[in-house]
Amino acid sequence: MGNDTGKVDVNKEHTRDGLVKILHDFRDAPISGEELGEKLGVSRAAVNSHINQLREMGYVIDAATKTGYRLVSVPDRLLPVELRVRLDDLGAADACIGCEIHYFPKLESTNDTAKAIAPDVHDGTVVIAEMQTKGRGRLGRAWMSPEGGIWLSVVLKPKIAPQDAAKLTLMAGIAVAYTMREFDIPAEIKWPNDILVNGKKVCGILTEMSSEADVMEYAVLGIGIDANVDTQKFPLEAKVSATSMQAELGHPVDRLEFTAKLLIRLNEEYARFEKAFVDGEIRAFDAMLDEWKSLSDTIGRVVTIQMRTKIISGEAAGIDHNGALIVETDGGIERVFAGDCVYTR
Ligand code: BT5
C-alpha cells in the first residue's frame, strides 16, 4: 500500500493507479477526499497531491467542496492504468496478452525495447510508445511513428518451432483487421504484413524472433497503426500509400478503447494459435486460415512478389497449411513465405 512520504516511487505510482481506478468506479457520483484516503490507506493531503499530479498529466477532475472529486476525462495517452481499466471492464483482466504493459512517451523502437526485455518478462508482455524515433519496417525500412499512432510490440513465448513464427504475422493481421471492422473501418489484410483500407496502408506488422537450436525462445510482434496521425506529413513514398483511421472515419478514434479491444482480439487469436501449434490441434489453425482468407484482399489477385533472390508473378490462389501464399505462375505453383507483394490487377 502506498504512503504519503513520497520516498518510494513505485509505491506512489501504485497509489496513483489505485486512485485512477477508484475515480473510474465513481465516475457517476463524486467521492470525497476522505473516503479516497481511506480506500487507498493514505492521508487526505496525499490524495490531494496525487489528484494534482493526475491533473498535470492531463486528467480533468472536478472537485466540489461538499461532494468531492469526480473524473471528467482522461488524457489521450495509452497509459497502462487506463488500458487496465478498459481490459477489466471488457472482462479481460486475466488475459495473457497485456498481462504486463510497459509504457514510454518516446522510444527508438518498441520492437527493440521488447527484444531487450524479452528474456525476463512473461509471455504476452506489451511495450507501447507514444512515438518512435527509429520505428522499423521489414528489411530495415523506416516506419513513420509520430504521436497519435498506436506503436506497440508484444513479447510472445509459445513453445513452437522457429519456422512457425511467421504464422504469428497472420494471427496479428486477423486481430487488427477484425478490431478495425469493429470500429466500422473496412480493413483488409494484404499478404504478408499490411492492413489496408480502401487500398491504402493503415497498419504494418513486423515479427522478429530469437531461437536456440530448433526451439523458438521468443517472438516480438510489432504492430504499427496509423490511428490519429496525419499521413500527409509523411515523406513522399509513404504519403501516397498510407492512410489513417482518423482520415477514413472523418474523426479521431479513441486510441485507448481501440488498443484495449485489439489486445483482447490478439489474446483470442493467440489462444487458438497455441491450441494449434503447442497442443497440436492443427484444425484450430485451419479455422484461422479461413478467417485470414475472408479478411484478405490478396487471394484472387494477380501479384508480383519480390523475394530475396527472385521475382515471381501470377495469381494468388490461396494460403497453405504452413502459412505460405500459393501463387500460380506460368511456370507452375510457387509457395511463398516472405516477400514484398504488389497487386498487378
Ligand atoms: C512494415 O514494414 O509494414 C512493418 C511496420 C511495423 C511497425 C511497428 S510499430 C511498432 C514496432 N516497432 C517498430 O520499430 N516497428 C514495429 P514494411 O512492409 O517493410 O513497410 C515499410 C514501408 O511502409 C515503408 O518503406 C514506407 O513506404 C511505408 N510506411 C512507413 N511508415 C508508414 C506508416 N506509418 N504508415 C503507412 N506506411 C508507412
Side-chain angles (χ1 to χ4, degrees):
M1 189 50 69
N3 59 51
D4 58 339
T5 63
K7 276 184 191 152
V8 186
D9 276 345
V10 173
N11 275 352
K12 269 182 107 174
E13 223 177 280
H14 185 76
T15 306
R16 203 177 60 206
D17 286 357
L19 176 57
V20 169
K21 284 184 185 155
I22 299 171
L23 287 172
H24 271 281
D25 286 345
F26 283 79
R27 257 190 123 134
D28 299 329
I31 176 166
S32 71
E34 199 177 331
E35 218 181 325
L36 279 171
E38 270 167 29
K39 283 185 187 289
L40 294 163
V42 300
S43 69
R44 281 199 59 175
V47 168
N48 212 15
S49 128
H50 282 297
I51 293 272
N52 286 337
Q53 272 178 32
L54 289 175
R55 284 179 173 147
E56 272 166 32
M57 289 164 68
Y59 280 86
V60 178
I61 302 164
D62 264 358
T65 340
K66 286 208 178 122
T67 48
Y69 297 106
R70 195 177 62 84
L71 180 61
V72 177
S73 66
V74 307
D76 179 18
R77 291 277 169 267
L78 298 173
L79 298 170
V81 64
E82 290 298 333
L83 287 170
R84 188 71 51 219
V85 165
R86 282 153 188 79
L87 291 172
D88 288 359
D89 284 352
L90 294 165
D94 300 324
C96 160
I97 307 289
C99 58
E100 280 179 54
I101 300 174
H102 297 247
Y103 170 84
F104 302 86
K106 192 199 267 190
L107 279 181
E108 289 197 342
S109 154
T110 55
N111 263 36
D112 290 348
T113 300
K115 280 197 271 185
I117 64 171
D120 306 314
V121 296
H122 287 113
D123 187 23
T125 295
V126 172
V127 175
I128 299 184
E130 295 292 347
M131 62 183 289
Q132 301 183 114
T133 52
K134 284 190 187 157
R136 285 187 289 112
R138 293 174 304 154
L139 306 170
R141 289 187 279 237
W143 181 258
M144 304 298 131
S145 318
E147 276 191 272
I150 298 170
W151 322 121
L152 64 83
S153 300
V154 189
V155 177
L156 296 172
K157 299 182 168 180
K159 291 189 176 50
I160 55 170
Q163 64 267 25
D164 287 332
K167 300 183 189 94
L168 291 167
T169 304
L170 301 180
M171 175 192 93
I174 295 172
V176 174
Y178 263 141
T179 312
M180 288 198 177
R181 288 183 182 200
E182 256 186 80
F183 281 69
D184 290 332
I185 295 173
E188 289 177 310
I189 307 172
K190 177 173 173 231
W191 183 90
N193 67 321
D194 292 349
I195 306 296
L196 307 184
V197 185
N198 297 320
K200 290 188 163 185
K201 185 160 171 172
V202 71
C203 164
I205 298 163
L206 176 68
T207 307
E208 297 178 298
M209 62 136 184
S210 164
S211 61
E212 180 82 38
D214 51 3
V215 179
M216 191 183 78
E217 285 179 305
Y218 61 81
V220 166
L221 188 61
I223 302 178
I225 298 172
D226 298 309
N228 302 328
V229 304
D230 184 357
T231 55
Q232 289 310 303
K233 290 192 179 143
F234 288 175
L236 192 64
E237 189 211 336
K239 178 171 148 175
V240 291
S241 60
T243 187
S244 68
M245 289 168 69
Q246 172 166 16
E248 296 300 323
L249 286 172
H251 60 79
V253 285
D254 181 333
R255 294 186 310 138
L256 279 164
E257 192 194 345
F258 184 88
T259 307
K261 289 192 167 156
L262 173 63
L263 296 183
I264 290 172
R265 278 282 184 189
L266 268 176
N267 195 60
E268 285 166 12
E269 297 302 330
Y270 187 47
R272 288 213 277 179
F273 179 90
E274 286 205 298
K275 209 181 217 181
F277 297 104
V278 181
D279 305 340
E281 279 183 46
I282 206 70
R283 264 180 311 173
F285 188 55
D286 287 344
M288 279 176 82
L289 284 180
D290 284 343
E291 257 172 21
W292 189 92
K293 280 185 242 171
S294 76
L295 292 165
S296 171
D297 76 337
T298 304
I299 309 302
R301 297 260 191 173
V302 177
V303 296
T304 298
I305 299 176
Q306 165 92 57
M307 290 179 273
R308 216 177 274 172
T309 50
K310 62 175 177 176
I311 296 183
I312 61 160
S313 287
E315 186 177 323
I319 192 142
D320 75 10
H321 256 91
N322 296 313
L325 187 71
I326 303 166
V327 184
E328 288 173 357
T329 71
D330 288 345
I333 300 263
E334 294 261 3
R335 289 169 193 270
V336 193
F337 285 96
D340 278 318
C341 173
V342 176
Y343 294 158
T344 37
R345 200 176 69 218

